[in-house]
């Protein structure tokens, strides 16, 4: 990489790492700037490491950066699973059963729903909540709450 110094000069630097950050410049680069350091025994080459943005850097042709350690921001959290599945009852037209998505009766098809949709589905004629899983225990009280008892 070539680093542009504040005065406009450019120097070849070593890219040590890159890190994704929030803000207008999504990447920070840890570069090693060559310099000198005076020691009791004399002067020797040294490297100063600093974080810069892509504004200060120019890629150098032929330099492979794929091995540079790269730290990305964590992605958006995965969407929670819908949680509920409504399945038609075989042989009973219009009858449905709502299951917890993890219920063994929910395997093999059906429509995945969020909790509010599952409560709505239970309010339809011919719908009931499965009693083998959490559907009855969780959704029926929610349904009763939604109907505003009292
Ligand atoms: Zn079930």
């Amino acid at each position: 990489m070539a680093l542009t110094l504040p005065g406009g000069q450019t120097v070849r630097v070593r890219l040590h790492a890159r890190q994704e950050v929030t803000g207008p410049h999504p990447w920070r680069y840890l570069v090693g700037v060559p310099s000198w350091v005076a020691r009791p025994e004399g002067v020797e080459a040294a490297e100063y490491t600093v974080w810069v943005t892509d504004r200060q850097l120019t890629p150098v042709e032929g330099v492979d950066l794929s091995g540079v350690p790269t730290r990305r921001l964590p992605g958006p959290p995965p969407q929670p699973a819908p949680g509920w599945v409504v399945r038609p009852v075989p042989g009973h037209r219009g009858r449905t059963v709502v299951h917890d998505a993890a219920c063994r009766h929910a395997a093999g098809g059906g429509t995945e729903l969020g909790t509010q949709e599952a409560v709505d589905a239970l309010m339809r004629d011919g719908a009931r909540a499965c009693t083998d899983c959490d559907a009855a225990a969780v959704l029926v009280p929610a349904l009763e709450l939604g109907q505003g008892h009292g």
Side-chain angles (χ1 to χ4, degrees), residues 7-144:
Q9 280 183 62
T10 59
V11 289
R12 285 286 287 266
V13 293
R14 211 139 55 94
L15 181 59
H16 290 296
R18 52 190 158 184
Q19 184 172 4
E20 196 176 13
V21 293
T22 54
H25 303 290
W27 289 96
R28 294 255 192 289
Y29 298 86
L30 183 65
V31 296
V33 184
S35 188
W36 299 103
V37 63
R39 303 223 184 267
E41 321 80 63
V43 171
E44 56 185 66
E47 195 184 76
Y48 293 88
T49 51
V50 288
W51 286 99
V52 296
T53 73
D54 59 338
R55 296 277 299 272
Q56 290 81 46
L57 292 174
T58 314
V60 174
E61 230 175 285
V63 178
D64 179 20
L65 300 177
S66 59
V68 173
T70 301
R71 206 158 67 177
R72 291 184 168 277
L73 287 175
Q79 289 292 314
W84 308 101
V85 172
V86 58
R87 293 199 72 185
V89 178
H92 296 273
R93 260 182 91 82
R95 301 275 295 274
T96 55
V97 182
V98 179
H99 298 277
D100 185 302
C103 178
R104 63 198 160 90
H105 302 301
T111 310
E112 296 198 349
L113 303 172
T115 300
Q116 187 53 53
E117 295 167 299
V119 170
D120 290 347
L122 265 186
M123 280 158 59
R124 294 193 193 111
D125 286 343
R128 69 176 186 87
C130 173
T131 50
D132 288 346
C133 60
D134 284 345
V138 173
L139 293 177
V140 171
L143 184 68
E144 288 167 355

